[in-house]
Amino acid sequence: MRVLEFGDNKAAGYCGRLFQLFGAEVIRVDLPRGRAAETSDSDEDTQVDPLLADIGRSVDIFLHTGKQRVSIDYQTDEGTALLARLAGESDIVVSDVSPAQLDRLNWSTFPGALRVSITPFGLTGPYRGWQGFGPIILAMGGYTYLMGDADNAPLTLPTHYVEYQAGQFAYTAALSSHAFESECHDIEVSMLETILSLSQFTTVMWTHQNRIRSRHGNRFEGVYPVSLYECRDGFVYINVVPTFWRNLVDMLGRPELLEDERFASNRSREENQGALDEIINAEFAKYTMAECLELGQRKYRFPIGAAMTLDQVLADEHLKARHYWRKIEVPGVGPIKAPGSAFRQVPLTLQPTQKYQGPDHG
Amino acid sequence: MDKPLAGIRILDLTHVWAGPLGTRILGDLGAEVLKLEAATARGPRDIPVVQGGQYPGGDPGTEHWNRQGFFNKLNRNKRGICIDLKAAAGKRLFLALVAESDVVIENFSATAMNRLGLGYEAMREANPQIIYVAMPGFGTSGPYSDFVAFGPSVEPMSGLTALMGYNDKELRNTAMALPDAIAGVTAAAAVVTALAQRKASGEGQYVDLPLHEAAISLLGEKYIETQLTGKPPAVTGNQNRSFAPQGVYPCAGDNQWLAIACPDEATWSNFALFSGIDKAGFANMAARLRHQDQLDDAIAEFTVNRDKHELMVQLQQAGVPAGAVMTTPEFMADPQVTERDYFVELGGDHIETLPYPGSPVRFDGERATEWRRAPRLGEHNDEVLRQLLNLSDDEIQKLKDDGVIANAPPTVEQAGQR
């Protein structure tokens, strides 16, 4: 299977990454440096600052290692013709360029057995020509309103969540169409609709009860104690739904709390969260994150997670035992750990080492 | 209308969010999804669980277990069967259904299926080509595999919490169990991958898909950056470390906000021209990155008395990426969402017809799904057992009499006796 991928909005890149992990031959077409106007990673200013260069290169390594890379200026007629020839030799063509650029390519008649477009708002509708990526789509799709403190600005996600989730949808739709030989030629994925399809209970809270879900910092509306607490060297998150209340009380070493009417029910715990937070904070401050995790998970058996920093996750024994990381050889840097496939066949085995070759090596 | 997964049968044992989301996506792609539940899966009959208030009109009605909004949102296009997998006859039914299915998927704890005697080996004996996808929080092996895992407590273990917040002292969780949403979409990808591989090789497989690793995978480049730079990325609130401006800015009214992001010179020039913000001091990206706070202050001053919707439209028309921070009623009424008929109305005798989120995928311009409402508990017991397992009416009646299959939850007292 050969997959052709182009566009710089990161969704096609993630879709192509999944195809690469699947074992397909993936050809990525980049615009020549200086022509990619849709993202900052190729902006000239970002190339001169080492940190910004590393940020940009990290995305490139993550998304594109293992792909064949060619550089074609498909914004010119000559480049378009070349892209079309490559598409004609491909089973699946994935793009995340704007609808205007798709129009210029005559997308509906573009070569390729199966064309997949991932666009911010879809190929129809009044916002068809609007610009959108992560923070814009998260705002319009209801996520941003829910994240952060009630009395402060809402927060966006510091990740490419929107783009990668849309890429996952595109991969799933395209691979199923290809594998099962459907008659379809055009798959369309909307990034806004991707986010709208991933609301937790935000939409049903409105449609079923006419209530608007609001943001509460780290607290999860409706259940308590579910929040982030500080310990000696960081933070831990606990998710104490009523089933686990007794387990938490055991860890706190305060059996009298079970008889305390302020904490007798989920509702009363929520109403008295300030008092409860004081008790939890005082106890957790005695422990490190690792101790909290060990006690909470192994001894008292309730849902608790440590707010691990990325270097802690990279060194984590659990992930090491599961061979989660795949090794990538980066010229001038050496071997690094990159996230492997999120789903793998049991028994788990070492993931193959790959070499990052950068752009322009097709 | 194209349905790429037509003819694929999925035995769906999932519950809560991640798993049902994954099988909803597969159902949207045309797969036949058999949702297999325990009688207690939707709570006991005599205690309506009111979490987040999700019954239509706030009314649990006489069968609250079938009226839960969260459940109905996630389980459209599935048929519902209710089997007691702890009973010997229930185990036999399950394995008989495995023999007739392509995929089994569940998101119980790592050891649950083996404790039932229904692990992969038992499934493979019933169907050598079966694909089995397990979705425990931390996977089926490794030191954390027995951890108690819910999406919100898995999230900080992925590293996301340490990246997110107003600053590194004020970290924030998404408070919406993001690993579930990630793992759900990933589960659909995993199933399709295994199906495609089986089509080529003829072999089934046992797939491990932890919420934990699914969430880490979506942070991919952050882990690489940590190694290239020698330190984890800084917590920067709504600012972007690669370009400026990016932020969520106040608008006219209480708690009204607009996201604006200018990732390149073109969008910045468009914004500066439209807003009239003095470009001096912000002449190029390096300068804007150095003075992000001042730039954000200037933008907030520009936005604070403007209507977020009007400004969003004006900025987009001026070539600036902007999006109003919307609540549910706002995005449900948004012209882009309504014109594309994104929300789908579903309902039945027991639940009012209400809009639910649709599918973000179109095949040749159309959604592939048929939009059938979520099943009542055990609604398709008879139909499925008759059609797939050729059981007679007498055999089905005996299963009912013996409590092996059900179409209503037990009371608290009955559940306690089990």
Side-chain angles (χ1 to χ4, degrees):
Chain A
M1 182 193 303
R2 180 179 294 140
V3 178
L4 183 75
E5 160 206 322
F6 66 103
D8 288 313
N9 212 3
K10 300 183 179 66
Y14 198 81
C15 176
R17 174 185 181 268
L18 294 174
F19 273 112
Q20 193 276 325
L21 290 170
F22 171 73
E25 174 191 353
V26 181
I27 301 171
R28 172 167 177 80
V29 178
D30 298 294
L31 282 171
R33 182 165 292 190
R35 293 303 306 272
E38 287 185 282
T39 69
S40 64
D41 297 331
S42 56
D43 185 285
E44 285 179 12
D45 290 319
T46 67
Q47 300 304 315
V48 297
D49 182 314
L51 174 65
L52 300 186
D54 279 340
I55 291 172
R57 190 156 68 137
S58 299
V59 175
D60 202 75
I61 293 169
F62 175 59
L63 292 181
H64 305 319
T65 297
K67 298 174 184 174
Q68 295 184 61
R69 310 279 295 272
V70 293
S71 175
I72 298 173
D73 188 355
Y74 49 80
Q75 294 172 343
T76 65
D77 290 346
E78 193 181 358
T80 299
L82 204 51
L83 183 72
R85 279 179 61 190
L86 281 173
E89 299 295 323
S90 303
D91 300 295
I92 298 171
V93 183
V94 186
S95 161
D96 62 17
V97 301
S98 67
Q101 288 201 59
L102 292 176
D103 290 345
R104 214 192 65 73
L105 297 172
N106 294 317
W107 186 243
S108 61
T109 58
F110 203 70
L114 180 59
R115 293 177 294 274
V116 183
S117 70
I118 311 167
T119 54
F121 301 98
L123 297 181
T124 60
Y127 301 167
R128 178 183 192 270
W130 284 20
Q131 297 184 62
F133 54 99
I136 307 301
I137 302 293
L138 288 168
M140 296 174 71
Y143 266 54
T144 307
Y145 189 77
L146 304 180
M147 297 186 289
D149 297 347
D151 57 355
N152 203 340
L155 286 171
T156 195
L157 286 171
T159 68
H160 296 303
Y161 173 79
V162 174
E163 293 84 347
Y164 295 174
Q165 288 283 56
Q168 294 211 91
F169 268 106
Y171 167 81
T172 304
L175 180 59
S176 56
S177 283
H178 177 77
F180 294 99
E181 298 161 16
S182 76
E183 297 295 317
C184 167
H185 293 292
D186 275 293
I187 290 175
E188 174 192 338
V189 177
S190 154
M191 288 163 66
L192 177 63
E193 290 172 359
T194 293
I195 291 308
L196 294 178
S197 75
L198 301 176
S199 65
Q200 190 183 24
F201 44 80
T202 315
T203 47
V204 290
M205 189 184 269
W206 170 253
T207 55
H208 289 54
Q209 266 219 319
N210 226 24
R211 291 177 57 206
I212 295 175
R213 193 176 176 189
S214 49
R215 60 183 179 276
H216 305 273
N218 286 313
R219 293 168 174 170
F220 198 88
E221 184 174 350
V223 196
Y224 214 75
V226 179
S227 193
L228 196 69
Y229 293 92
E230 190 163 8
C231 47
R232 264 194 3 234
D233 57 350
F235 297 86
V236 291
Y237 202 85
I238 64 172
N239 197 80
V240 178
V241 295
T243 318
F244 297 104
W245 169 238
R246 178 179 287 271
N247 306 49
L248 174 66
V249 168
D250 286 347
M251 178 171 164
L252 296 173
R254 299 278 300 272
E256 74 276 12
L257 298 182
L258 294 174
E259 310 300 324
D260 191 327
E261 62 181 23
R262 293 174 302 165
F263 311 127
S265 67
N266 178 62
R267 178 169 291 181
S268 60
R269 290 192 285 277
E270 203 172 16
E271 286 167 357
N272 295 289
Q273 51 187 254
L276 186 51
D277 282 352
E278 267 186 42
I279 295 167
I280 297 172
N281 280 325
E283 182 66 15
F284 280 21
K286 298 174 186 169
Y287 304 112
T288 63
M289 280 200 301
E291 289 166 346
C292 275
L293 191 65
E294 188 68 18
L295 281 170
Q297 284 284 2
R298 300 223 185 270
K299 186 169 182 184
Y300 297 104
R301 303 290 298 152
F302 65 86
I304 179 170
M308 296 171 77
T309 58
L310 271 60
D311 40 9
Q312 289 172 330
V313 177
L314 281 163
D316 186 70
E317 289 298 321
H318 175 75
L319 294 164
K320 184 179 174 188
R322 289 177 50 79
H323 307 300
Y324 171 66
W325 304 104
R326 68 177 171 149
K327 194 186 287 181
I328 294 180
E329 290 286 345
V330 180
V333 176
I336 61 162
K337 292 175 178 173
S341 177
F343 51 88
R344 289 175 290 148
Q345 192 167 351
V346 177
L348 306 178
T349 54
L350 273 176
Q351 303 199 52
T353 299
Q354 290 184 299
K355 186 170 182 183
Y356 172 68
Q357 295 179 295
D360 302 328
H361 67 269
Chain B
M1 190 180 296
D2 196 74
K3 291 185 177 183
L5 293 183
I8 297 296
R9 182 173 298 133
I10 293 169
L11 198 48
D12 173 12
L13 279 67
T14 65
H15 62 299
V16 198
W17 189 12
L21 170 63
T23 52
R24 186 185 80 182
I25 294 167
L26 295 164
D28 285 349
L29 295 176
E32 176 192 348
V33 180
L34 303 180
K35 183 164 189 68
L36 194 162
E37 298 170 276
T40 51
R42 305 187 195 180
R45 188 189 315 172
D46 45 356
I47 298 185
V49 180
V50 184
Q51 185 195 337
Q54 293 168 15
Y55 304 112
D59 177 13
T62 54
E63 43 181 305
H64 65 85
W65 56 93
N66 291 327
R67 288 172 54 80
Q68 233 273 352
F70 187 70
F71 179 89
N72 279 275
K73 182 187 71 149
L74 288 168
N75 290 292
R76 63 166 176 251
N77 301 328
K78 302 177 186 178
R79 289 198 286 174
I81 47 178
C82 178
I83 299 176
D84 180 3
L85 294 182
K86 292 179 179 166
K91 295 181 201 296
R92 286 195 294 275
L93 282 182
F94 171 75
L95 292 172
L97 288 168
V98 170
E100 300 297 323
S101 299
D102 299 285
V103 177
V104 176
I105 181 168
E106 51 88 4
N107 61 341
F108 298 125
S109 67
T111 56
M113 293 304 284
N114 280 331
R115 278 190 277 116
L116 286 167
L118 299 173
Y120 179 53
E121 291 309 316
M123 290 184 215
R124 196 166 62 167
E125 207 168 292
N127 179 351
Q129 290 190 306
I130 196 71
I131 290 164
Y132 168 40
V133 179
M135 303 175 64
F138 290 93
T140 56
S141 63
Y144 303 162
S145 60
D146 64 342
F147 274 17
V148 187
F150 288 5
S153 58
V154 171
E155 185 174 311
M157 301 283 283
S158 76
L160 177 57
T161 306
L163 290 176
M164 181 169 168
Y166 294 100
N167 54 61
D168 61 3
K169 300 289 181 222
E170 295 179 287
L171 300 180
R172 293 293 177 270
N173 189 282
T174 64
M176 61 170 98
L178 209 65
D180 281 81
I182 297 169
V185 185
T186 308
V191 167
V192 168
T193 300
L195 284 168
Q197 288 169 337
R198 190 182 71 174
K199 192 156 189 294
S201 69
E203 294 184 9
Q205 57 181 284
Y206 172 14
V207 178
D208 192 8
L209 165 52
L211 265 65
H212 184 219
E213 287 165 25
I216 291 173
S217 290
L218 249 65
L219 299 177
E221 70 277 3
K222 307 291 184 192
Y223 283 99
I224 295 171
E225 182 193 326
T226 299
Q227 295 165 86
L228 295 187
T229 63
K231 61 183 178 187
V235 179
T236 58
N238 287 320
Q239 294 178 342
N240 193 299
R241 291 172 305 133
S242 297
F243 61 80
Q246 175 180 293
V248 177
Y249 302 97
C251 289
D254 179 41
N255 197 18
Q256 304 296 315
W257 307 86
L258 178 71
I260 300 172
C262 300
D264 50 39
E265 291 303 321
T267 48
W268 161 247
S269 293
N270 293 338
F271 181 66
L273 184 66
F274 184 88
S275 65
I277 288 175
D278 186 357
K279 288 175 79 172
F282 308 124
N284 56 38
M285 190 66 85
R288 293 194 292 280
L289 282 166
R290 270 198 307 277
H291 305 295
Q292 281 198 71
D293 290 343
Q294 296 95 310
L295 182 53
D296 282 345
D297 288 345
I299 295 172
E301 198 175 317
F302 164 72
T303 59
V304 71
N305 292 317
R306 288 175 162 80
D307 178 84
K308 67 179 180 184
H309 290 286
E310 289 175 10
L311 188 54
M312 169 180 74
V313 174
Q314 291 164 352
L315 286 173
Q316 285 280 2
Q317 288 173 345
V320 180
V325 174
M326 296 198 200
T327 62
T328 304
E330 288 172 332
F331 65 66
M332 287 187 71
D334 188 82
Q336 180 69 11
V337 176
T338 56
E339 184 155 318
R340 283 171 61 86
D341 290 327
Y342 174 71
F343 279 85
V344 184
E345 301 225 325
L346 297 168
D349 294 342
H350 62 288
I351 184 164
E352 294 83 334
T353 297
L354 291 163
Y356 294 90
S359 166
V361 183
R362 292 187 183 199
F363 296 85
D364 289 337
E366 295 183 54
R367 324 270 183 189
T369 180
E370 284 182 355
W371 308 124
R372 295 192 317 273
R373 67 159 172 79
R376 298 160 94 152
L377 183 71
E379 179 173 351
H380 301 99
N381 284 345
D382 292 21
E383 180 183 307
V384 169
L385 297 179
R386 203 172 284 131
Q387 282 178 2
L388 295 187
L389 305 185
N390 294 315
L391 295 195
S392 67
D393 290 349
D394 287 348
E395 288 170 312
I396 291 171
Q397 187 59 49
K398 182 167 182 354
L399 289 168
K400 286 179 191 168
D401 294 344
D402 292 346
V404 177
I405 62 173
N407 53 17
T411 62
V412 171
E413 190 180 357
Q414 289 167 334
Q417 289 167 350
R418 285 167 184 243

